[in-house]
């Protein structure tokens, strides 16, 4: 049933069974209000493929309603070394094609497949959830963008963020450019992307990329603590507040004040109304 609905909404025919996800190199676990997505191809530094992104989209489409926090993490020494480099070879990833074959497609086909890939990242911003990236080691290209798709980033002190795409002749197109600019500002985003340099933990903390830096051995606990803090607040107030905060940059002060009033009216009615 859920799969049929997902098919209707996203056009994806594949399932999100543990077996299918394992083939792709992903794990997905739900424990009450907490969902955990684990990139699970450590021997390839959690490199991502088209299948990773379409599975992430399907996980988002099928996310159980009770989930309030989604943790995204990577198995092994690196969060993710980005796109699977086989996708740049003529052979590509078996069953998934390659960029060199995509290059012969029309612009609208390319835009459509970029948009499909982006669906794997976009849902992590939904107001109904708070997403946390737990990042250790390398977060390169698509790995950096996956971390940027999350609301919060808690990082190990060995973290290495790198937006490698421009160095490879590409642009970052997995929804990462907007949160990067919003987090660090335009000048710093230009510096980070156009030099494809590595941002280490101390700088990530200083420029607002990371909420918290901890020793690698403390990463899991630090994420657990943050999840517990987030779950301690009223769910509906958290959703309404995230919605307000997300809309703030696109609104004038006057509009934002009006939006606060509308959200508060709904809250007061829910809390005290008859
Ligand atoms: N795609 C496919 N395989 C990869 C990738 C990748 N992106 N990254 C690592 N691997 C594989 C390696 O080929 C190696 O496989 P092998 O054991 O079969 O030889 C294995 O993962 C381990 O990699 P090492 O390089 O040995 O690991 P190390 O920890 O020394 O280095 C690092 C990690 C720095 C991440 C390095 O692997 C690397 O530079 N990877 C490529 C990063 C990259 O350019 N990504 C694309 C960014 S652009 C984008 O995402 C759109």
């Amino acid at each position: 049933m859920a799969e049929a609905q997902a098919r209707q909404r996203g056009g994806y025919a594949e399932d999100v069974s543990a077996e299918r996800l394992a083939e792709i190199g992903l794990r997905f676990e739900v424990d009450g209000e907490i969902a955990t997505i684990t990139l699970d191809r450590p021997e390839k530094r959690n490199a991502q493929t088209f299948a990773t992104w379409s599975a992430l989209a399907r996980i988002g489409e099928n996310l159980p309603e009770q989930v309030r926090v989604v943790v995204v993490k990577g198995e092994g020494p690196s969060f993710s070394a980005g796109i699977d480099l086989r996708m740049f070879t003529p052979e590509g990833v078996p069953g998934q094609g390659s960029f060199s074959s995509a290059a012969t497609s029309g612009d609208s086909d390319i835009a459509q497949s970029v948009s499909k890939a982006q669906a794997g990242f976009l849902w992590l911003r939904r107001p109904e959830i708070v997403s946390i990236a737990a990042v250790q080691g390398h977060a390169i290209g698509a790995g950096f963008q996956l971390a940027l798709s999350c609301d919060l980033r808690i990082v190990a002190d060995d973290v290495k963020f790198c937006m490698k795409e421009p160095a490879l002749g590409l642009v970052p197109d997995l929804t990462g450019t907007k949160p990067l600019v919003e987090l660090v500002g335009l000048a710093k985003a230009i510096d980070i992307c156009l030099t494809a340099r590595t941002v280490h933990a101390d700088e990530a903390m200083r420029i607002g990329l990371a909420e918290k830096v901890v020793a690698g051995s403390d990463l899991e606990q630090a994420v657990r603590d943050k999840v517990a803090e987030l779950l301690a607040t009223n769910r509906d107030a958290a959703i309404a507040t995230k919605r307000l905060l997300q809309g703030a940059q696109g609104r004038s002060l006057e509009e934002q004040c009006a939006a606060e009033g509308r959200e508060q009216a709904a809250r007061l009615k829910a809390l005290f109304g008859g």
Side-chain angles (χ1 to χ4, degrees):
M1 171 69 175
E3 198 197 323
Q5 283 171 346
R7 251 202 306 274
Q8 273 179 348
R9 283 196 298 267
Y12 293 111
E14 299 161 88
D15 64 55
V16 283
S17 66
E19 296 72 27
R20 177 66 187 130
L21 292 179
E23 283 167 28
I24 294 167
L26 282 172
R27 291 202 317 269
F28 175 59
E29 285 130 1
V30 176
D31 178 10
E33 297 177 304
I34 308 162
T36 304
I37 298 170
T38 307
L39 304 172
D40 192 16
R41 210 153 66 100
E43 72 288 356
K44 297 292 176 192
R45 302 298 182 263
N46 300 321
Q48 304 171 31
T49 66
F50 286 125
T52 315
W53 305 326
S54 87
L56 288 174
R58 292 195 310 276
I59 289 171
E61 287 160 0
N62 290 287
L63 196 70
E65 221 168 274
Q66 83 270 11
V67 169
R68 293 186 60 189
V69 178
V70 177
V71 176
V72 182
K73 60 184 193 150
E75 199 62 62
S78 288
F79 177 72
S80 171
I83 197 167
D84 191 315
L85 293 173
R86 289 176 300 167
M87 287 169 75
F88 295 136
T89 65
E91 301 77 34
V93 176
Q96 298 188 50
S98 78
F99 278 109
S100 48
S101 59
T104 59
S105 312
D107 284 1
S108 72
D109 288 343
I110 294 176
Q112 207 182 345
S113 74
V114 169
S115 161
K116 241 182 171 176
Q118 290 168 338
F121 296 67
L122 280 174
W123 66 271
L124 289 160
R125 284 98 166 166
R126 270 186 214 156
E128 292 76 21
I129 56 169
V130 179
S131 49
I132 304 175
V135 191
Q136 81 286 5
H138 291 97
I140 304 178
F144 190 2
Q145 296 192 71
L146 183 58
L148 284 166
S149 301
C150 292
D151 296 311
L152 308 175
R153 281 148 296 281
I154 299 182
V155 307
D157 54 11
D158 69 344
V159 77
K160 295 172 200 68
F161 289 112
C162 171
M163 201 66 92
K164 185 88 175 277
E165 287 84 342
L168 300 173
L170 299 167
V171 300
D173 67 349
L174 296 168
T175 80
T177 55
K178 189 169 168 64
L180 183 64
V181 170
E182 287 169 355
L183 286 167
V184 306
L186 179 59
K188 190 64 79 186
I190 288 174
D191 171 33
I192 290 170
C193 293
L194 274 60
T195 63
R197 70 180 176 83
T198 298
V199 178
H200 296 270
D202 51 350
E203 184 184 5
M205 188 69 203
R206 198 172 63 245
I207 66 177
L209 264 182
E211 271 61 47
K212 189 167 193 171
V213 179
V214 296
S217 55
D218 296 335
L219 185 58
E220 260 191 60
Q221 188 57 48
V223 171
R224 266 201 297 272
D225 292 346
K226 183 56 68 186
V227 170
E229 282 176 45
L230 288 163
L231 292 180
T233 58
N234 176 291
R235 177 175 200 178
D236 294 328
I239 294 171
T241 303
K242 183 171 168 186
R243 209 163 36 218
L244 265 180
L245 296 172
Q246 285 181 314
Q249 276 188 321
R251 296 193 196 104
S252 67
L253 178 59
E254 200 176 38
E255 290 164 343
Q256 183 69 4
C257 289
E260 288 176 3
R262 281 192 302 276
E263 292 284 11
Q264 196 67 303
R267 289 281 67 239
L268 291 171
K269 278 182 192 153
L271 287 174
F272 309 112

